[in-house]
Amino acid sequence: RKMATNDEFADLEPLPQDDGPDAVVRIRYSQNFRETMDRFRAILVREEVGERALRLTEHVVNLNAANYTAWAHRRRCLEALASDELWERELEWSAEMAVDNPKNYQVWFHRRRVVERARPDVGAELAFVAEALEEDAKNYHAWGYRQWLLRTLGGWEHELSYCAKLLDDDCFNNSAWNQRMFVLQETGALKDPGAVRTELSFARKHLEAGADNAAPWNYALGLVEASDCAEDAAWGPPPPPPLFFFLG
């Protein structure tokens, strides 16, 4: 989006990028990019954190969503303005940015800070992350955010069911297996023999559907190593020796 060069920034002396006296290869920035960044640098030098500075950061991240400095300054503006309404709007806007930039670390980190202030409904937020994972089931940033969200706002009671659904859709989804183990570790379920037996049965069900799938083998091994259920009868007799190669 083009930033209008209007009276809102008339008092700002644009601060050009300093490439040094002997730049070897100058980047051919568009006029819009150059003008926006020149004003943004001027805002940073002035340490301005008002509403127009907030609007300007939106222009900057629309031009380059990986600009860490713009995201950080945007948070400084929101903190300084201290408006619940602005934090609520930021929740909606950052969701749009996450959809448009699903593998951008800055977007997901920024949303953490926004959620800490806006405190949205955890069910709605988990559903939002689930939508992102529908687009890419192995989105590392979305999974990391989901784990942070569970630790921060809760919602553990439905997470195993969510992972089970993902694994029913794709039993080779290593991210879902990892998330399932994460839930057991974080909730203390690995100390419960009954819960471990249930998980061993869960792994066995998926092995019966495909014994050459390394993921449930590794999951079962992790369960046994992290608990006292190495001899649990629910697991049954050991598999044929060649299959143990999948355990690494």
Side-chain angles (χ1 to χ4, degrees):
R1 271 179 258 172
K2 181 173 175 56
M3 186 189 75
T5 53
N6 53 31
D7 293 341
E8 183 176 23
F9 301 101
D11 63 309
L12 281 178
E13 180 68 30
L15 184 59
Q17 178 170 303
D18 184 2
D19 290 326
D22 301 308
V24 178
V25 179
R26 294 185 185 276
I27 299 175
R28 294 185 60 184
Y29 298 114
S30 69
Q31 181 177 350
N32 180 39
F33 187 93
R34 187 171 57 254
E35 290 177 353
T36 301
M37 293 306 300
D38 288 355
R39 285 174 171 77
F40 180 56
R41 279 186 286 270
I43 287 284
L44 291 177
V45 169
R46 290 164 57 128
E47 298 183 352
E48 184 177 322
V49 289
E51 290 190 8
R52 74 166 181 176
L54 180 67
R55 288 190 291 273
L56 184 56
T57 61
E58 180 176 352
H59 289 292
V60 175
V61 297
N62 278 327
L63 292 171
N64 178 12
N67 189 320
Y68 170 83
T69 304
W71 286 107
H73 195 68
R74 186 171 183 83
R75 289 190 291 276
R76 284 193 288 269
C77 292
L78 288 166
E79 291 285 354
L81 291 166
S83 165
D84 291 342
E85 182 183 353
L86 285 177
W87 283 111
E88 288 293 334
R89 278 193 285 178
E90 193 71 6
L91 196 64
E92 297 179 12
W93 180 77
S94 62
E96 296 172 3
M97 292 298 293
V99 170
D100 292 339
N101 305 273
K103 292 190 175 181
N104 184 318
Y105 170 79
Q106 306 301 340
V107 176
W108 291 103
F109 180 81
H110 181 75
R111 191 164 180 83
R112 294 187 187 192
R113 303 287 80 84
V114 176
V115 165
E116 287 177 337
R117 292 299 302 266
R119 309 299 287 191
D121 175 74
V122 65
E125 194 66 10
L126 287 169
F128 165 69
V129 186
E131 290 178 5
L133 291 171
E134 282 182 15
E135 295 297 321
D136 182 359
K138 298 182 178 180
N139 185 334
Y140 174 84
H141 300 299
W143 278 115
Y145 175 76
R146 190 177 184 91
Q147 292 184 351
W148 172 86
L149 185 63
L150 288 165
R151 285 172 170 156
T152 305
L153 296 186
W156 298 99
E157 60 273 17
H158 304 299
E159 196 66 5
L160 288 180
S161 297
Y162 172 68
C163 294
K165 179 184 179 300
L166 293 182
L167 292 169
D168 284 342
D169 294 339
D170 177 12
C171 63
F172 292 92
N173 186 338
N174 289 322
S175 297
W177 285 106
N178 178 74
Q179 181 72 357
R180 197 171 180 90
M181 182 64 75
F182 167 79
V183 174
L184 299 179
Q185 291 171 332
E186 292 291 314
T187 59
L190 289 173
K191 297 178 182 179
D192 178 0
V196 174
R197 282 194 293 270
T198 298
E199 291 305 304
L200 286 170
S201 296
F202 179 84
R204 182 172 188 138
K205 179 189 78 169
H206 284 281
L207 283 169
E208 289 171 352
D212 61 341
N213 183 353
W217 283 117
N218 286 323
Y219 183 73
L221 178 62
L223 289 170
V224 172
E225 289 181 340
S227 66
D228 298 324
C229 298
E231 304 298 329
D232 196 288
W235 181 245
L243 294 178
F244 277 116
F245 287 113
F246 290 105
L247 298 180

